[in-house]
Amino acid sequence: MSVQTPSRLVSIPEDCGAEAADRGFSTMAKSMVGSSILVIANEIRDLLARGVEVANMTVGDFDPCEFPIPERLRELLLEAVEEGDTNYPPPAGLTELRQAVRRHIARTQGLDYPLDGIAIVSGGRPSLYSTYRLLVDPDDLVVVPVPSWNNHNYRDTCRVRLRVVHCGPETAFQPTAELLRPHLAEARLLVLNTPQNPSGGVMAREEVEAFGRLLVEENERRRADGDKPLYLLYDQIYRSIVFSGHRHWSPVTLVPECAPYVIHSDGISKGLAGTGLRCGWLFGPPAIARKVVALLTHVGAWAPKPVQAATARLLADEQAMAAWEEEMIRRVQSRLDVLRDGLAELRADGLPVDFIDPQGAIYLSVRFGVAGRRTADGRVLRTNEDIRSWLLRRAAFAVVPFSAFGVEEEREDCWSRVSVGAVSVEQIRRALPRLRRALEELA
Ligand code: PMP
Protein backbone atom coordinates (compact mmCIF):
# COMPACT_ATOMS: atom_id res chain seq x y z
CA MET A 1 0.00 0.00 0.00
CA SER A 2 1.42 3.35 -0.97
CA VAL A 3 0.49 6.73 0.50
CA GLN A 4 -2.50 8.18 -1.37
CA THR A 5 -1.87 11.37 -3.33
CA PRO A 6 -4.78 13.57 -4.49
CA SER A 7 -5.23 13.97 -8.24
CA ARG A 8 -6.10 17.66 -7.97
CA LEU A 9 -5.70 20.55 -5.54
CA VAL A 10 -8.89 22.26 -4.32
CA SER A 11 -8.04 25.85 -3.52
CA ILE A 12 -10.09 27.51 -0.73
CA PRO A 13 -10.43 31.32 -1.05
CA GLU A 14 -9.74 33.64 1.93
CA ASP A 15 -13.37 34.71 2.23
CA CYS A 16 -14.72 31.17 2.00
CA GLY A 17 -17.81 30.80 4.17
CA ALA A 18 -17.73 34.34 5.58
CA GLU A 19 -21.29 35.14 4.58
CA ALA A 20 -22.67 31.82 5.83
CA ALA A 21 -20.74 32.15 9.10
CA ASP A 22 -22.24 35.62 9.63
CA ARG A 23 -25.63 33.95 9.64
CA GLY A 24 -24.44 30.80 11.34
CA PHE A 25 -22.59 32.07 14.41
CA SER A 26 -24.19 31.46 17.80
CA THR A 27 -25.32 34.44 19.84
CA MET A 28 -22.27 33.90 22.04
CA ALA A 29 -19.91 33.91 19.07
CA LYS A 30 -21.44 37.16 17.84
CA SER A 31 -20.91 38.80 21.22
CA MET A 32 -17.17 38.05 21.31
CA VAL A 33 -14.91 41.04 20.69
CA GLY A 34 -11.34 41.06 19.42
CA SER A 35 -8.41 41.98 21.63
CA SER A 36 -7.55 45.68 21.62
CA ILE A 37 -3.99 44.74 22.59
CA LEU A 38 -3.61 42.84 19.33
CA VAL A 39 -4.56 45.98 17.38
CA ILE A 40 -1.73 47.81 19.13
CA ALA A 41 0.59 44.88 18.37
CA ASN A 42 -0.10 45.30 14.65
CA GLU A 43 0.82 49.00 14.80
CA ILE A 44 4.07 48.10 16.56
CA ARG A 45 4.85 45.49 13.93
CA ASP A 46 4.48 48.14 11.21
CA LEU A 47 6.91 50.47 13.00
CA LEU A 48 9.44 47.67 13.53
CA ALA A 49 9.16 46.72 9.86
CA ARG A 50 10.14 50.34 9.04
CA GLY A 51 13.26 49.92 11.17
CA VAL A 52 12.10 52.04 14.15
CA GLU A 53 13.38 50.90 17.56
CA VAL A 54 10.26 50.47 19.70
CA ALA A 55 10.24 49.85 23.43
CA ASN A 56 7.49 47.28 23.24
CA MET A 57 5.97 47.33 26.68
CA THR A 58 2.52 46.22 25.59
CA VAL A 59 2.63 42.45 25.77
CA GLY A 60 1.90 40.55 28.97
CA ASP A 61 4.40 37.99 27.77
CA PHE A 62 8.13 37.34 27.93
CA ASP A 63 10.69 37.62 25.19
CA PRO A 64 12.58 34.32 25.62
CA CYS A 65 15.88 36.15 24.92
CA GLU A 66 15.24 38.44 27.91
CA PHE A 67 13.43 35.89 30.06
CA PRO A 68 14.34 32.32 29.15
CA ILE A 69 12.76 29.47 31.13
CA PRO A 70 14.95 27.93 33.84
CA GLU A 71 17.80 25.95 32.26
CA ARG A 72 16.90 22.96 34.44
CA LEU A 73 13.32 23.02 33.15
CA ARG A 74 14.61 23.02 29.57
CA GLU A 75 16.72 19.93 30.30
CA LEU A 76 13.84 18.18 32.03
CA LEU A 77 11.53 18.92 29.08
CA LEU A 78 13.96 17.36 26.64
CA GLU A 79 14.36 14.34 28.94
CA ALA A 80 10.59 13.87 29.17
CA VAL A 81 10.27 13.86 25.38
CA GLU A 82 13.20 11.45 25.11
CA GLU A 83 11.55 9.17 27.65
CA GLY A 84 8.41 9.05 25.51
CA ASP A 85 6.03 11.10 27.66
CA THR A 86 4.06 11.97 24.55
CA ASN A 87 0.67 10.29 24.93
CA TYR A 88 -2.44 11.54 26.75
CA PRO A 89 -1.84 12.55 30.35
CA PRO A 90 -4.43 11.45 32.95
CA PRO A 91 -7.36 13.94 32.83
CA ALA A 92 -6.58 15.48 36.24
CA GLY A 93 -2.87 15.62 35.44
CA LEU A 94 0.10 13.37 36.22
CA THR A 95 -0.10 12.19 39.82
CA GLU A 96 3.59 13.07 40.15
CA LEU A 97 2.81 16.69 39.24
CA ARG A 98 -0.28 16.93 41.44
CA GLN A 99 1.80 15.68 44.35
CA ALA A 100 4.58 18.16 43.55
CA VAL A 101 2.02 20.99 43.35
CA ARG A 102 0.52 19.87 46.64
CA ARG A 103 3.89 20.06 48.39
CA HIS A 104 4.69 23.34 46.63
CA ILE A 105 1.48 24.94 47.88
CA ALA A 106 2.11 23.62 51.38
CA ARG A 107 5.65 25.04 51.32
CA THR A 108 4.87 28.42 49.82
CA GLN A 109 1.36 29.14 51.15
CA GLY A 110 0.95 26.90 54.18
CA LEU A 111 -2.04 25.08 52.64
CA ASP A 112 -2.40 21.31 52.48
CA TYR A 113 -5.02 20.52 49.85
CA PRO A 114 -6.15 16.95 49.16
CA LEU A 115 -4.84 15.62 45.85
CA ASP A 116 -8.37 15.64 44.47
CA GLY A 117 -8.53 19.37 45.08
CA ILE A 118 -5.72 19.92 42.54
CA ALA A 119 -6.35 19.83 38.77
CA ILE A 120 -3.60 20.28 36.20
CA VAL A 121 -4.73 22.35 33.20
CA SER A 122 -3.17 24.02 30.16
CA GLY A 123 -2.09 27.33 31.70
CA GLY A 124 -3.99 29.94 33.66
CA ARG A 125 -6.94 30.51 31.34
CA PRO A 126 -8.67 27.09 31.55
CA SER A 127 -9.03 27.51 35.33
CA LEU A 128 -10.62 30.92 34.89
CA TYR A 129 -12.91 29.90 32.05
CA SER A 130 -14.07 26.68 33.69
CA THR A 131 -14.76 28.40 37.01
CA TYR A 132 -17.02 30.88 35.21
CA ARG A 133 -18.65 28.03 33.27
CA LEU A 134 -19.22 25.73 36.23
CA LEU A 135 -20.30 28.14 38.94
CA VAL A 136 -22.24 30.83 37.13
CA ASP A 137 -25.38 30.44 35.03
CA PRO A 138 -26.08 32.75 32.07
CA ASP A 139 -27.37 36.12 33.35
CA ASP A 140 -26.06 35.49 36.87
CA LEU A 141 -23.92 38.22 38.37
CA VAL A 142 -20.11 38.22 38.57
CA VAL A 143 -18.36 41.06 40.39
CA VAL A 144 -14.94 42.18 39.20
CA PRO A 145 -12.79 45.12 40.14
CA VAL A 146 -11.39 47.11 37.22
CA PRO A 147 -8.84 47.48 35.86
CA SER A 148 -8.63 43.71 35.53
CA TRP A 149 -7.58 41.19 32.93
CA ASN A 150 -9.89 39.34 30.54
CA ASN A 151 -13.09 39.29 32.62
CA HIS A 152 -15.06 41.08 29.90
CA ASN A 153 -14.19 38.20 27.55
CA TYR A 154 -15.45 35.61 30.03
CA ARG A 155 -18.59 37.72 30.37
CA ASP A 156 -19.16 37.29 26.62
CA THR A 157 -18.19 33.63 26.33
CA CYS A 158 -20.18 32.59 29.42
CA ARG A 159 -23.00 35.10 28.92
CA VAL A 160 -23.00 36.30 32.51
CA ARG A 161 -23.73 39.76 33.87
CA LEU A 162 -20.65 41.61 35.00
CA ARG A 163 -20.62 44.32 37.65
CA VAL A 164 -17.38 46.27 37.38
CA VAL A 165 -16.21 48.25 40.36
CA HIS A 166 -13.61 50.94 39.69
CA CYS A 167 -10.47 50.99 41.80
CA GLY A 168 -8.03 53.87 41.96
CA PRO A 169 -4.32 54.60 42.31
CA GLU A 170 -4.56 55.11 46.09
CA THR A 171 -4.76 51.29 46.50
CA ALA A 172 -2.54 50.51 43.49
CA PHE A 173 -5.80 49.72 41.66
CA GLN A 174 -6.60 46.80 43.97
CA PRO A 175 -10.10 46.65 45.49
CA THR A 176 -10.86 46.67 49.20
CA ALA A 177 -13.43 44.38 50.80
CA GLU A 178 -15.43 47.45 51.89
CA LEU A 179 -15.55 48.76 48.33
CA LEU A 180 -16.91 45.47 46.95
CA ARG A 181 -19.17 44.47 49.85
CA PRO A 182 -22.24 46.47 48.67
CA HIS A 183 -22.10 44.70 45.27
CA LEU A 184 -21.98 41.12 46.48
CA ALA A 185 -25.47 40.37 47.79
CA GLU A 186 -26.68 39.03 44.45
CA ALA A 187 -23.35 37.81 43.05
CA ARG A 188 -22.38 34.20 42.38
CA LEU A 189 -18.72 34.88 41.80
CA LEU A 190 -16.12 37.45 42.74
CA VAL A 191 -12.86 37.50 40.79
CA LEU A 192 -9.67 38.85 42.36
CA ASN A 193 -6.14 38.86 40.96
CA THR A 194 -2.99 39.59 42.94
CA PRO A 195 -0.26 40.45 42.02
CA GLN A 196 -2.36 42.20 39.45
CA ASN A 197 -2.42 42.48 35.71
CA PRO A 198 -2.51 45.33 34.64
CA SER A 199 -1.57 47.49 37.63
CA GLY A 200 1.23 45.49 39.25
CA GLY A 201 -0.57 46.10 42.57
CA VAL A 202 -0.24 43.49 45.32
CA MET A 203 -3.16 43.18 47.71
CA ALA A 204 -2.16 43.83 51.32
CA ARG A 205 -2.48 41.06 53.89
CA GLU A 206 -5.25 42.83 55.84
CA GLU A 207 -7.30 43.20 52.68
CA VAL A 208 -6.90 39.54 51.67
CA GLU A 209 -7.98 38.62 55.19
CA ALA A 210 -10.96 40.97 55.01
CA PHE A 211 -12.07 39.28 51.77
CA GLY A 212 -11.74 35.87 53.46
CA ARG A 213 -13.94 37.01 56.36
CA LEU A 214 -16.44 38.62 54.01
CA LEU A 215 -16.73 35.35 52.10
CA VAL A 216 -17.41 33.40 55.30
CA GLU A 217 -19.95 35.94 56.55
CA GLU A 218 -21.82 36.16 53.24
CA ASN A 219 -21.91 32.37 52.85
CA GLU A 220 -23.16 31.77 56.39
CA ARG A 221 -26.09 34.03 55.61
CA ARG A 222 -26.74 32.29 52.29
CA ARG A 223 -26.60 28.84 53.82
CA ALA A 224 -29.16 29.85 56.45
CA ASP A 225 -31.39 31.21 53.65
CA GLY A 226 -30.82 28.19 51.37
CA ASP A 227 -29.24 30.43 48.67
CA LYS A 228 -26.45 29.56 46.25
CA PRO A 229 -22.97 30.33 47.60
CA LEU A 230 -20.71 33.24 46.68
CA TYR A 231 -17.43 31.93 45.27
CA LEU A 232 -14.09 33.65 44.96
CA LEU A 233 -11.94 32.98 41.91
CA TYR A 234 -8.47 33.86 43.14
CA ASP A 235 -6.06 34.35 40.25
CA GLN A 236 -2.52 34.15 41.59
CA ILE A 237 -0.67 33.43 38.36
CA TYR A 238 1.98 36.07 39.35
CA ARG A 239 2.24 34.70 42.92
CA SER A 240 6.02 34.40 43.08
CA ILE A 241 6.83 37.77 41.48
CA VAL A 242 6.55 40.20 44.41
CA PHE A 243 9.05 42.83 45.46
CA SER A 244 10.44 43.67 48.89
CA GLY A 245 7.92 45.17 51.26
CA HIS A 246 5.11 43.14 49.66
CA ARG A 247 3.98 39.57 50.06
CA HIS A 248 1.41 37.35 48.42
CA TRP A 249 -1.30 35.80 50.58
CA SER A 250 -4.19 33.41 50.00
CA PRO A 251 -7.40 34.21 51.86
CA VAL A 252 -7.51 30.50 52.82
CA THR A 253 -4.16 30.78 54.62
CA LEU A 254 -5.49 33.70 56.65
CA VAL A 255 -9.13 32.59 57.09
CA PRO A 256 -9.24 28.78 56.69
CA GLU A 257 -13.06 28.73 57.06
CA CYS A 258 -13.40 30.31 53.61
CA ALA A 259 -11.78 27.26 51.91
CA PRO A 260 -15.10 25.82 50.62
CA TYR A 261 -15.61 28.99 48.56
CA VAL A 262 -12.16 29.73 47.09
CA ILE A 263 -10.79 28.50 43.75
CA HIS A 264 -7.12 29.35 43.17
CA SER A 265 -5.62 29.60 39.71
CA ASP A 266 -1.84 29.31 39.30
CA GLY A 267 0.77 27.85 36.94
CA ILE A 268 4.18 28.17 35.33
CA SER A 269 3.29 30.85 32.77
CA LYS A 270 4.63 33.82 34.67
CA GLY A 271 6.72 32.56 37.59
CA LEU A 272 8.77 30.26 35.34
CA ALA A 273 8.44 32.49 32.25
CA GLY A 274 6.80 29.53 30.52
CA THR A 275 3.79 31.16 28.83
CA GLY A 276 4.13 28.94 25.76
CA LEU A 277 4.50 25.70 27.68
CA ARG A 278 0.84 25.73 28.78
CA CYS A 279 0.89 24.24 32.25
CA GLY A 280 -1.25 25.51 35.11
CA TRP A 281 -3.17 24.27 38.09
CA LEU A 282 -6.38 24.99 39.86
CA PHE A 283 -6.75 24.19 43.54
CA GLY A 284 -9.80 24.44 45.70
CA PRO A 285 -12.67 22.27 46.96
CA PRO A 286 -12.26 18.75 45.46
CA ALA A 287 -15.90 18.72 44.32
CA ILE A 288 -15.14 21.71 42.10
CA ALA A 289 -11.71 20.54 40.93
CA ARG A 290 -13.29 17.23 39.80
CA LYS A 291 -15.91 19.10 37.75
CA VAL A 292 -13.20 21.23 36.14
CA VAL A 293 -11.38 18.04 35.15
CA ALA A 294 -14.60 16.66 33.66
CA LEU A 295 -15.31 19.84 31.67
CA LEU A 296 -11.78 20.25 30.36
CA THR A 297 -11.67 16.60 29.32
CA HIS A 298 -14.25 17.52 26.70
CA VAL A 299 -12.19 20.51 25.62
CA GLY A 300 -8.87 18.68 25.74
CA ALA A 301 -7.28 21.57 27.65
CA TRP A 302 -4.74 19.34 29.40
CA ALA A 303 -1.20 20.52 29.87
CA PRO A 304 1.14 18.69 27.46
CA LYS A 305 2.44 15.54 29.15
CA PRO A 306 6.19 16.26 28.76
CA VAL A 307 5.62 19.69 30.30
CA GLN A 308 3.79 18.12 33.22
CA ALA A 309 6.59 15.60 33.79
CA ALA A 310 9.29 18.29 33.67
CA THR A 311 7.35 20.70 35.87
CA ALA A 312 6.80 17.96 38.47
CA ARG A 313 10.53 17.36 38.73
CA LEU A 314 11.42 21.04 38.90
CA LEU A 315 8.78 21.87 41.54
CA ALA A 316 10.04 18.97 43.65
CA ASP A 317 13.54 20.48 43.63
CA GLU A 318 12.99 23.01 46.42
CA GLN A 319 16.43 24.56 46.17
CA ALA A 320 16.28 25.03 42.42
CA MET A 321 12.82 26.57 42.73
CA ALA A 322 13.84 28.99 45.47
CA ALA A 323 16.94 30.06 43.53
CA TRP A 324 14.91 30.53 40.37
CA GLU A 325 12.20 32.60 42.05
CA GLU A 326 14.86 34.94 43.43
CA GLU A 327 16.50 35.25 40.02
CA MET A 328 13.19 35.93 38.33
CA ILE A 329 12.35 38.69 40.82
CA ARG A 330 15.78 40.20 40.27
CA ARG A 331 15.35 40.27 36.49
CA VAL A 332 11.89 41.78 36.55
CA GLN A 333 12.68 44.25 39.29
CA SER A 334 15.86 45.53 37.63
CA ARG A 335 13.76 46.56 34.63
CA LEU A 336 10.92 48.05 36.65
CA ASP A 337 13.37 49.97 38.84
CA VAL A 338 15.08 51.61 35.86
CA LEU A 339 11.69 52.55 34.49
CA ARG A 340 10.46 53.85 37.85
CA ASP A 341 13.63 55.92 38.40
CA GLY A 342 13.37 57.38 34.90
CA LEU A 343 9.72 58.29 35.37
CA ALA A 344 10.52 59.76 38.79
CA GLU A 345 13.09 62.08 37.17
CA LEU A 346 10.56 63.22 34.59
CA ARG A 347 8.02 63.88 37.33
CA ALA A 348 10.58 65.73 39.46
CA ASP A 349 11.29 67.97 36.45
CA GLY A 350 7.65 68.97 36.36
CA LEU A 351 6.61 66.80 33.42
CA PRO A 352 3.05 65.41 33.58
CA VAL A 353 3.91 61.85 34.59
CA ASP A 354 2.73 59.81 37.55
CA PHE A 355 3.21 56.15 38.45
CA ILE A 356 2.77 53.54 41.18
CA ASP A 357 5.94 52.07 42.67
CA PRO A 358 6.52 48.47 41.57
CA GLN A 359 4.86 45.96 43.89
CA GLY A 360 4.64 42.74 41.89
CA ALA A 361 3.96 41.00 38.55
CA ILE A 362 5.72 42.38 35.46
CA TYR A 363 3.82 45.65 35.24
CA LEU A 364 3.92 49.28 36.25
CA SER A 365 0.92 51.63 36.28
CA VAL A 366 1.85 54.92 34.60
CA ARG A 367 -0.19 58.06 34.08
CA PHE A 368 0.55 60.48 31.28
CA GLY A 369 -1.52 63.50 32.26
CA VAL A 370 -1.40 65.15 28.84
CA ALA A 371 -5.08 65.27 27.88
CA GLY A 372 -5.86 68.64 26.29
CA ARG A 373 -2.20 69.30 25.37
CA ARG A 374 -1.12 70.00 21.79
CA THR A 375 1.50 67.90 19.97
CA ALA A 376 4.36 69.27 17.85
CA ASP A 377 2.34 68.56 14.71
CA GLY A 378 -0.61 70.57 16.03
CA ARG A 379 -2.96 67.81 17.17
CA VAL A 380 -4.79 68.09 20.48
CA LEU A 381 -4.60 64.95 22.60
CA ARG A 382 -8.11 64.25 23.78
CA THR A 383 -8.70 60.57 24.44
CA ASN A 384 -6.48 57.94 26.00
CA GLU A 385 -6.25 56.34 22.60
CA ASP A 386 -4.85 59.68 21.29
CA ILE A 387 -2.26 59.59 24.06
CA ARG A 388 -1.29 55.97 23.44
CA SER A 389 -0.93 56.51 19.72
CA TRP A 390 1.08 59.74 20.20
CA LEU A 391 3.45 57.99 22.65
CA LEU A 392 4.02 55.26 20.12
CA ARG A 393 4.57 57.61 17.17
CA ARG A 394 6.64 60.31 18.92
CA ALA A 395 8.56 58.29 21.49
CA ALA A 396 8.30 54.69 20.21
CA PHE A 397 7.07 54.05 23.73
CA ALA A 398 4.37 51.38 23.51
CA VAL A 399 1.91 51.05 26.40
CA VAL A 400 -1.65 49.76 26.85
CA PRO A 401 -4.32 52.13 28.25
CA PHE A 402 -6.44 50.83 31.13
CA SER A 403 -9.46 50.90 28.81
CA ALA A 404 -8.16 47.55 27.51
CA PHE A 405 -8.75 46.24 31.03
CA GLY A 406 -12.41 47.03 31.44
CA VAL A 407 -12.11 50.67 32.55
CA GLU A 408 -14.54 53.00 30.78
CA GLU A 409 -12.82 55.69 28.71
CA GLU A 410 -14.19 58.53 30.81
CA ARG A 411 -12.97 56.93 34.06
CA GLU A 412 -9.56 55.97 32.79
CA ASP A 413 -7.82 59.24 33.63
CA CYS A 414 -4.79 58.58 31.38
CA TRP A 415 -3.51 55.54 33.29
CA SER A 416 -1.76 52.84 31.28
CA ARG A 417 0.01 49.54 31.78
CA VAL A 418 3.69 49.21 31.06
CA SER A 419 4.97 45.62 30.82
CA VAL A 420 8.66 44.71 31.08
CA GLY A 421 8.59 41.05 30.01
CA ALA A 422 9.84 41.73 26.51
CA VAL A 423 12.36 44.55 27.00
CA SER A 424 15.93 44.77 28.24
CA VAL A 425 17.20 47.26 30.82
CA GLU A 426 19.10 48.91 27.95
CA GLN A 427 15.99 49.28 25.82
CA ILE A 428 14.21 50.98 28.71
CA ARG A 429 17.21 53.28 29.24
CA ARG A 430 17.16 54.26 25.57
CA ALA A 431 13.39 54.83 25.60
CA LEU A 432 13.38 57.31 28.51
CA PRO A 433 15.06 60.22 26.67
CA ARG A 434 12.63 59.74 23.79
CA LEU A 435 9.79 59.97 26.25
CA ARG A 436 11.27 63.13 27.79
CA ARG A 437 11.59 64.82 24.37
CA ALA A 438 8.03 63.93 23.44
CA LEU A 439 6.67 65.30 26.74
CA GLU A 440 8.79 68.46 26.54
CA GLU A 441 7.63 69.34 23.05
CA LEU A 442 3.94 69.36 24.03
CA ALA A 443 2.32 72.78 24.12
N1 PMP B 1 -4.31 35.68 34.77
C1 PMP B 1 -3.71 36.84 34.55
C2 PMP B 1 -3.90 37.93 35.53
C3 PMP B 1 -2.91 37.02 33.41
O1 PMP B 1 -2.30 38.18 33.21
C4 PMP B 1 -2.78 35.96 32.49
C5 PMP B 1 -1.95 36.09 31.25
N2 PMP B 1 -1.87 37.32 30.68
C6 PMP B 1 -3.44 34.77 32.77
C7 PMP B 1 -4.19 34.66 33.92
C8 PMP B 1 -3.43 33.62 31.82
O2 PMP B 1 -2.27 32.98 31.74
P1 PMP B 1 -2.04 31.82 30.69
O3 PMP B 1 -1.27 32.40 29.56
O4 PMP B 1 -1.28 30.81 31.47
O5 PMP B 1 -3.35 31.29 30.24
Side-chain angles (χ1 to χ4, degrees):
M1 252 300 269
S2 63
V3 178
Q4 288 187 13
T5 49
S7 56
R8 69 186 180 117
L9 183 67
V10 179
S11 170
I12 313 295
E14 280 290 338
D15 62 352
C16 169
E19 186 278 329
D22 258 354
R23 287 176 288 121
F25 279 132
S26 68
T27 315
M28 184 278 271
K30 284 181 182 150
S31 74
M32 284 169 59
V33 290
S35 158
S36 49
I37 301 183
L38 291 184
V39 176
I40 303 176
N42 287 338
E43 264 183 62
I44 294 171
R45 209 167 302 126
D46 286 348
L47 281 176
L48 291 173
R50 299 204 323 251
V52 178
E53 176 183 322
V54 181
N56 187 0
M57 298 185 284
T58 59
V59 286
D61 194 5
F62 299 101
D63 178 336
C65 301
E66 298 296 331
F67 287 92
I69 58 169
E71 177 57 21
R72 184 74 194 118
L73 181 59
R74 199 185 64 82
E75 290 164 4
L76 289 166
L77 281 167
L78 295 175
E79 269 172 37
V81 174
E82 288 290 330
E83 284 168 16
D85 272 329
T86 50
N87 57 334
Y88 285 133
L94 289 179
T95 306
E96 193 190 341
L97 177 55
R98 291 164 79 206
Q99 281 165 343
V101 167
R102 180 184 188 174
R103 284 191 292 270
H104 181 69
I105 299 166
R107 199 163 65 233
T108 54
Q109 300 194 269
L111 295 171
D112 186 17
Y113 272 84
L115 214 54
D116 252 11
I118 299 168
I120 307 303
V121 299
S122 60
R125 275 161 249 233
S127 301
L128 309 181
Y129 177 71
S130 41
T131 300
Y132 266 84
R133 261 336 275 267
L134 295 170
L135 297 177
V136 192
D137 278 311
D139 296 325
D140 278 351
L141 187 69
V142 177
V143 173
V144 301
V146 288
S148 67
W149 179 81
N150 227 23
N151 286 300
H152 43 297
N153 293 317
Y154 298 124
R155 172 200 63 202
D156 296 340
T157 48
C158 300
R159 307 196 57 70
V160 302
R161 278 184 300 134
L162 210 60
R163 169 123 7 115
V164 301
V165 183
H166 286 86
C167 303
E170 57 293 341
T171 53
F173 297 97
Q174 283 286 12
T176 63
E178 279 321 298
L179 181 70
L180 297 194
R181 182 191 288 276
H183 302 278
L184 295 176
E186 250 192 275
R188 292 268 178 272
L189 181 67
L190 163 65
V191 186
L192 298 176
N193 164 225
T194 180
Q196 199 209 84
N197 180 8
S199 71
V202 174
M203 203 180 286
R205 175 185 173 140
E206 311 78 72
E207 224 39 73
V208 177
E209 193 174 338
F211 275 111
R213 281 199 308 270
L214 179 57
L215 215 53
V216 173
E217 193 186 301
E218 178 66 20
N219 279 307
E220 273 171 7
R221 181 188 68 70
R222 291 186 186 203
R223 195 150 61 139
D225 295 351
D227 288 345
K228 289 190 178 177
L230 169 68
Y231 283 104
L232 168 62
L233 172 53
Y234 200 65
D235 181 353
Q236 54 168 30
I237 195 88
Y238 298 92
R239 177 196 60 79
S240 59
I241 312 177
V242 283
F243 311 127
S244 53
H246 299 275
R247 190 167 161 188
H248 177 77
W249 292 96
S250 161
V252 183
T253 311
L254 301 171
V255 186
E257 304 76 33
C258 74
Y261 313 109
V262 180
I263 298 97
H264 302 79
S265 169
D266 206 334
I268 69 167
S269 295
K270 309 296 174 167
L272 297 180
T275 48
L277 295 175
R278 309 313 302 154
C279 183
W281 45 88
L282 167 145
F283 60 100
I288 295 176
R290 281 193 293 265
K291 259 310 182 217
V292 168
V293 171
L295 172 66
L296 294 180
T297 296
H298 305 313
V299 185
W302 306 300
K305 196 175 175 193
V307 182
Q308 293 198 33
T311 303
R313 289 170 205 164
L314 186 68
L315 284 189
D317 187 342
E318 291 182 28
Q319 266 185 337
M321 278 302 293
W324 173 262
E325 287 184 356
E326 248 178 61
E327 169 66 12
M328 187 73 188
I329 290 174
R330 194 191 60 69
R331 283 183 197 208
V332 176
Q333 197 170 4
S334 59
R335 287 162 175 79
L336 287 172
D337 283 352
V338 167
L339 188 60
R340 188 262 329 267
D341 292 348
L343 293 169
E345 270 180 38
L346 298 178
R347 186 172 66 181
D349 291 344
L351 291 165
V353 173
D354 201 1
F355 58 89
I356 311 276
D357 275 325
Q359 299 187 357
I362 57 172
Y363 310 110
L364 198 74
S365 299
V366 184
R367 180 173 188 270
F368 297 101
V370 295
R373 304 283 295 269
R374 190 179 294 275
T375 65
D377 55 3
R379 268 184 278 182
V380 177
L381 300 172
R382 294 186 201 285
T383 64
N384 301 299
E385 172 54 21
D386 291 347
I387 297 172
R388 178 201 69 76
S389 154
W390 160 76
L391 277 170
L392 181 59
R393 280 181 292 107
R394 280 316 282 180
F397 199 86
V399 303
V400 182
F402 275 6
S403 55
F405 304 99
V407 181
E408 294 145 30
E409 272 281 330
E410 58 276 12
R411 309 270 314 243
E412 190 183 44
D413 199 25
C414 308
W415 283 96
S416 291
R417 178 188 85 174
V418 179
S419 168
V420 296
V423 285
S424 64
V425 167
E426 271 317 304
Q427 279 173 313
I428 300 172
R429 287 217 169 95
R430 286 201 297 273
L432 287 163
R434 299 200 297 265
L435 181 60
R436 173 181 287 274
R437 272 196 301 280
L439 288 164
E440 281 175 347
E441 70 189 19
L442 286 178

